[in-house]
Amino acid sequence: MAEIFKDIPKIVYEGSDRSNELSFKFYDENRMLMGKSMKEHLPFAMAWWHNLSATGADMFGVGTADKRFGCEQAATMEHAYSKVDAGFEFMSKLGIEFYCFHDADLVPEGRDISETNDRLDEISDYIKSKAEQTGIRCLWGTANLFTNPRFMNGAGSSNSADVYCFAAAQIKKALDLTIKLGGNGYVFWGGREGYETLLNTDMKFEIENIAELMQMSVEYARKQGFEGKFFIEPKPKEPMKHQYDFDAATAIGFLRQFNLDKDFMLNIEANHATLAGHTFQHDLRFAAMNGLLGSVDANQGDLLLGWDTDEFPFNVYETTMCMYELLQIGGLRPYGGLNFDAKNRRPSYTYEDMFHAFILGMDSFALGLINAVKLIEDGRIEKFIKDRYSSFYEGIGSKIRTKTTTLEQLSDHAISLGNPTLPDSGKQEYLESIVNSIMFGG
Ligand code: XLS
Ligand code: CA
Ligand code: CA
């Protein structure tokens, strides 16, 4: 098999003062921080769809990037094999250990499900042999239940029972593939699981059907010996106007309502959190404080644009706060990782750009990790937060926390205070300047 990225060497850490642009400036996989190597802290994954399939086509123009990787004709089985070769060469050159896929990313759809499934069996044999040679494995798999026109009204939320069965068939196969390829996670992103108007939609009915499909999927996977986690990936909108898994809080409510929270965790994507009007850190924290932060789609959006731009992470404040959350839950393994669900900008169309994108993303997360460790070791932020609630550690406050008081007693306490005092200052600007001094203070 011929080398595809011929002019690109193996990317290694050379530090920020070196002139070799095709090197990591901050990501040093062997550097130890808080008892673990950077590589262990940062289980990076490549998204098959953006990296190996997407050509930069948008609503106004065709693709700019040639992703045939040396084969003649796109969307053939020959192309499917080239993508595997390109993907494994790409990940090996970057030292990436994991990938994520949709069924539809791997092979062109056949005339019917059986033909598609045969193709998936064939290509997954090849992927498996590559995995055995390189040690690179699947992080999570999923089924594309949004591209085919039959899913115009959703999959689990479709009004058509037949379409619902097509979704089930794809999920069944994608679960088989995930298990075969050693994945420890399976994602449900509710691509078209939502609605445009209540004039044609029974929302309760649709949500119950989605839950039932998830329940059946869990039962099937457990029967096949899958011991990993299922993930819901929240997103508030796009493609639908209203999507049912709006954000972490909504998805957690749904999981609890249908008793799915033992088998499921959340896959939080930065760009989806900001589309929901939250910071990335907010949704990470919401999932984490409920014990349900399972995996991360590591990208960033553009706050000036109201859609899902899936950019490579560049904002080091965001990666710092992400790693701050992840360090506090002990990381994402053994189930999840940091999946670069991100694509090059349309004018960045060369092979070299693909590598620069990953160097940027991996370095941004390495910087985030370094900063987050410093924030934790510095301890001032954590201490400030703890002290801020000190009025609850004794007296009437402690009685509230231990549930040993009543509304009448609280009222009596307030009356006894006479003139109420103000709570202590929130000191936001002081705290922000601590973050800056830790990040840039050397
Ligand atoms: C789209 C989603 C999708 C999921 C996997 O916005 O991010 O790519 O991660 O289906
Ligand atoms: Ca995603
Ligand atoms: Ca996205």
Side-chain angles (χ1 to χ4, degrees):
M1 184 209 75
E3 192 180 2
I4 294 169
F5 305 107
K6 288 198 198 64
D7 303 327
I8 314 280
K10 174 137 181 68
I11 311 295
V12 293
Y13 170 73
E14 293 196 6
S16 56
D17 52 355
R18 296 299 181 90
S19 53
N20 176 10
E21 286 166 359
L22 286 167
S23 65
F24 295 119
K25 321 295 181 289
F26 305 101
Y27 178 65
D28 176 3
E29 59 176 29
N30 298 317
R31 178 167 167 190
M32 298 297 289
L33 291 150
M34 291 175 85
K36 279 203 249 174
S37 68
M38 266 201 180
K39 198 179 183 108
E40 288 171 278
H41 278 294
L42 301 169
F44 291 128
M46 176 196 77
W48 209 273
W49 53 103
H50 281 318
N51 205 50
L52 304 176
S53 308
T55 56
D58 67 15
M59 259 136 77
F60 303 94
V62 296
T64 54
D66 183 353
K67 297 260 176 98
R68 283 173 302 161
F69 303 118
C71 87
E72 287 277 305
Q73 183 69 42
T76 56
M77 276 309 276
E78 191 201 353
H79 186 210
Y81 278 92
S82 302
K83 290 200 308 194
V84 178
D85 290 337
F88 276 85
E89 187 187 323
F90 184 82
M91 290 184 278
S92 302
K93 284 191 165 165
L94 283 156
I96 290 203
E97 288 179 298
F98 301 99
Y99 60 86
C100 301
F101 72 93
H102 301 84
D103 47 1
D105 305 331
L106 301 183
V107 294
E109 240 183 298
R111 278 159 301 186
D112 54 29
I113 289 196
S114 306
E115 189 180 27
T116 308
N117 285 353
D118 289 344
R119 291 178 178 181
L120 287 167
D121 288 338
E122 186 185 327
I123 206 73
S124 56
D125 284 344
Y126 188 53
I127 296 175
K128 204 169 168 211
S129 72
K130 289 279 193 177
E132 277 154 15
Q133 290 156 27
T134 58
I136 295 170
R137 61 193 189 283
C138 168
L139 182 72
W140 52 255
T142 189
N144 178 326
L145 305 177
F146 42 90
T147 298
N148 191 299
R150 70 170 70 98
F151 297 122
M152 64 173 76
N153 298 328
S157 62
S158 177
N159 57 305
S160 156
D162 287 346
V163 171
Y164 191 93
C165 295
F166 271 100
Q170 272 187 249
I171 293 170
K172 177 174 175 290
K173 190 66 187 176
L175 277 166
D176 292 341
L177 292 170
T178 303
I179 295 168
K180 175 172 173 181
L181 298 173
N184 230 2
Y186 184 87
V187 162
F188 282 87
W189 167 57
R192 294 187 193 273
E193 311 293 29
Y195 68 91
E196 299 294 330
T197 171
L198 286 174
L199 292 175
N200 66 12
T201 301
D202 185 336
M203 179 153 51
K204 181 168 182 287
F205 190 96
E206 293 195 356
I207 292 176
E208 286 168 0
N209 276 359
I210 294 172
E212 186 55 25
L213 187 57
M214 289 181 175
Q215 199 62 61
M216 288 189 281
S217 304
V218 171
E219 273 165 32
Y220 173 75
R222 297 299 182 218
K223 269 192 291 189
Q224 309 311 306
F226 179 65
E227 290 178 350
K229 282 281 177 192
F230 292 81
F231 303 123
I232 284 190
E233 182 182 322
K235 184 175 181 181
K237 57 190 167 192
E238 199 202 1
M240 302 308 260
K241 181 162 87 173
H242 298 275
Q243 291 198 177
Y244 295 134
D245 303 323
F246 187 90
D247 60 0
T250 315
I252 289 171
F254 165 85
L255 290 176
R256 294 211 171 125
Q257 182 185 353
F258 293 100
N259 291 320
L260 288 161
D261 52 326
K262 302 286 169 293
D263 295 287
F264 275 78
M265 297 177 91
L266 299 188
N267 178 38
I268 300 295
E269 178 175 317
N271 202 164
H272 297 181
T274 52
L275 280 177
H278 301 307
T279 60
F280 182 23
Q281 190 186 8
H282 170 93
D283 254 22
L284 292 168
R285 176 71 62 86
F286 208 95
M289 75 190 200
N290 283 283
L292 293 174
L293 177 51
S295 202
V296 167
D297 271 7
N299 63 11
Q300 75 176 42
D302 186 325
L303 297 182
L304 298 181
L305 303 174
W307 63 90
D308 193 14
T309 58
D310 283 345
E311 297 174 31
F312 277 87
F314 165 64
N315 181 332
V316 176
Y317 285 103
E318 276 200 351
T319 59
T320 298
M321 292 312 173
C322 174
M323 290 315 300
Y324 185 69
E325 296 300 318
L326 297 190
L327 286 173
Q328 295 185 64
I329 59 161
L332 296 169
R333 300 300 299 148
Y335 303 114
L338 294 164
N339 170 41
F340 287 118
D341 190 355
K343 58 187 179 211
N344 283 95
R345 297 305 86 195
R346 192 164 180 266
S348 307
Y349 64 90
T350 68
Y351 286 166
E352 197 176 295
D353 288 315
M354 291 167 62
F355 283 86
H356 280 306
F358 271 71
I359 290 171
L360 170 68
M362 291 164 81
D363 272 341
S364 296
F365 266 88
L367 278 170
L369 170 64
I370 294 165
N371 290 330
V373 168
K374 285 196 214 156
L375 279 174
I376 289 173
E377 286 173 348
D378 176 271
R380 274 177 289 174
I381 304 272
E382 224 173 294
K383 180 170 185 310
F384 185 88
I385 295 174
K386 190 153 189 291
D387 291 350
R388 189 156 176 258
Y389 297 93
S390 59
S391 67
F392 282 91
Y393 304 155
E394 56 190 25
I396 194 73
S398 117
K399 286 189 179 158
I400 296 170
R401 295 296 293 169
T402 52
K403 302 187 194 314
T404 50
T405 186
T406 61
L407 200 67
E408 296 93 305
Q409 284 176 11
L410 302 189
S411 166
D412 290 346
H413 180 81
I415 290 165
S416 76
L417 288 176
N419 198 10
T421 51
L422 287 176
D424 292 338
S425 163
K427 292 198 168 183
Q428 181 169 333
E429 301 76 8
Y430 158 74
L431 296 163
E432 286 169 346
S433 105
I434 290 183
V435 173
N436 271 353
S437 69
I438 287 173
M439 284 177 60
F440 303 106

